[in-house]
């Protein structure tokens, strides 16, 4: 088994051009990718394998503890540029982002930025671990990524999120420090999402055996151990 990273877009491109048997994605396949895959006679089959609480993170020294989705969108599109505009101290916001091939980048752009472009001064990081490291070093930084990368990282604070300015602030964290399953399952946490594997046609042979294992008790136990959220009912 050979595993290669690079983001959801990279994996789906590999699925289309026939250089991988399975592609992991933290977003749903785009319509143009699906058309390209069908044109290559590699019709994609979508298999949800886990859930995730995508988190907004700041440095532990930052007093801001809650943001709503509109405020996050304004920060990442460049309409809000100082922490004092969202209840924090008078200091410029330093934005950290994933690269454009990342499914998490695409999820934030679609669901939070509502299709608008990221601010040009966003510092692009090659992975979520790099986002965590950058924000942990930067008292005025903000970043995003799956809760699993941030839950136990020193120097970081995972923000509670409001769906609307007047709505309740919901944390993706349980008292144990890991993700809170309930708020993801019931949708009350505003940045809940599925994680997918795409197969070129119905999976067969070893890929099918692997996916059966991922969705079985042992695979779903590992999902939980690494701070993702098992599929409902698993």
């Amino acid at each position: 088994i050979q595993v290669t990273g690079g983001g959801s877009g990279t994996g789906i491109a590999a699925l289309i051009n026939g250089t991988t048997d399975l592609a992991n994605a933290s977003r749903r396949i785009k319509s143009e990718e699906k058309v390209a895959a069908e044109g290559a006679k590699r019709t994609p089959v979508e298999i949800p394998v886990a859930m995730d609480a995508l988190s907004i993170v700041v440095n532990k020294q930052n007093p801001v503890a809650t943001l709503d989705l509109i405020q996050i969108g304004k920060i990442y599109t460049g309409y809000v540029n100082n922490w004092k505009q969202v209840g924090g101290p008078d200091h410029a916001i330093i934005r950290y982002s994933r690269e454009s091939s990342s499914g998490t980048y695409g999820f934030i752009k679609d669901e939070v930025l509502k299709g608008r472009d990221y601010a040009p001064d966003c510092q692009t990081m090659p992975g979520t671990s790099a986002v965590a490291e950058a924000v942990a070093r930067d008292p005025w930084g903000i970043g995003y990524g799956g809760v699993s990368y941030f839950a136990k990282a020193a120097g970081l604070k995972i923000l509670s999120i409001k769906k609307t300015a007047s709505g309740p602030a919901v944390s993706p964290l349980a008292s144990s420090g890991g993700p809170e399953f309930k708020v993801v399952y019931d949708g009350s946490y505003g940045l809940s999402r599925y994680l997918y594997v795409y197969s070129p046609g119905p999976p067969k042979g070893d890929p099918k055996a692997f996916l059966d294992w991922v969705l079985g008790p042992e695979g779903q136990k590992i999902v939980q151990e690494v701070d993702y959220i098992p599929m409902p009912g698993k």
Side-chain angles (χ1 to χ4, degrees), residues 124-136:
T124 301
M125 311 305 287
T128 307
S129 295
V131 172
E133 291 170 12
V135 177

Side-chain angles (χ1 to χ4, degrees), residues 13-187:
L15 191 81
I16 293 167
N17 64 34
T19 56
T20 191
D21 297 306
L22 297 171
N24 296 340
S26 58
R27 61 161 172 83
R28 301 194 80 168
I29 192 168
K30 298 176 182 176
S31 57
E32 60 267 28
E33 292 169 331
K34 188 174 182 182
V35 168
E38 289 168 347
K41 296 191 172 14
R42 293 176 64 81
T43 300
V45 173
E46 179 182 279
I47 303 110
V49 294
M51 295 190 75
D52 185 21
L54 198 152
S55 303
I56 305 299
V57 66
V58 298
N59 189 281
K60 212 154 201 170
Q61 297 178 40
N62 193 324
V64 172
T66 300
L67 290 173
D68 63 54
L69 292 177
I70 292 174
Q71 289 173 319
I72 297 164
K74 287 182 175 180
I75 287 171
Y76 269 100
T77 51
Y79 288 93
V80 168
N81 296 297
N82 193 298
W83 283 111
K84 71 179 180 181
Q85 294 174 266
V86 290
D90 184 6
H91 198 283
I93 298 172
I94 310 301
R95 295 172 264 257
Y96 294 96
S97 174
R98 290 294 311 279
E99 70 279 21
S100 61
S101 65
S102 158
T104 304
Y105 171 104
F107 181 91
I108 289 288
K109 182 169 184 176
D110 293 343
E111 301 297 326
V112 182
L113 278 55
K114 303 302 181 185
R116 293 173 294 176
D117 290 333
Y118 282 82
D121 65 352
C122 282
Q123 299 188 42
T124 301
M125 311 305 287
T128 307
S129 295
V131 172
E133 291 170 12
V135 177
R137 291 193 305 266
D138 188 341
W140 309 112
I142 186 170
Y144 60 81
V147 69
S148 61
Y149 288 90
F150 303 139
K152 297 179 176 70
L156 297 177
K157 182 197 297 182
I158 293 175
L159 300 185
S160 294
I161 301 298
K162 296 180 180 181
K163 285 186 174 182
T164 64
S166 60
V170 178
S171 171
L173 292 177
S175 57
S176 63
E180 176 58 75
F181 294 177
K182 181 180 181 298
V183 299
V184 173
Y185 290 153
D186 67 17

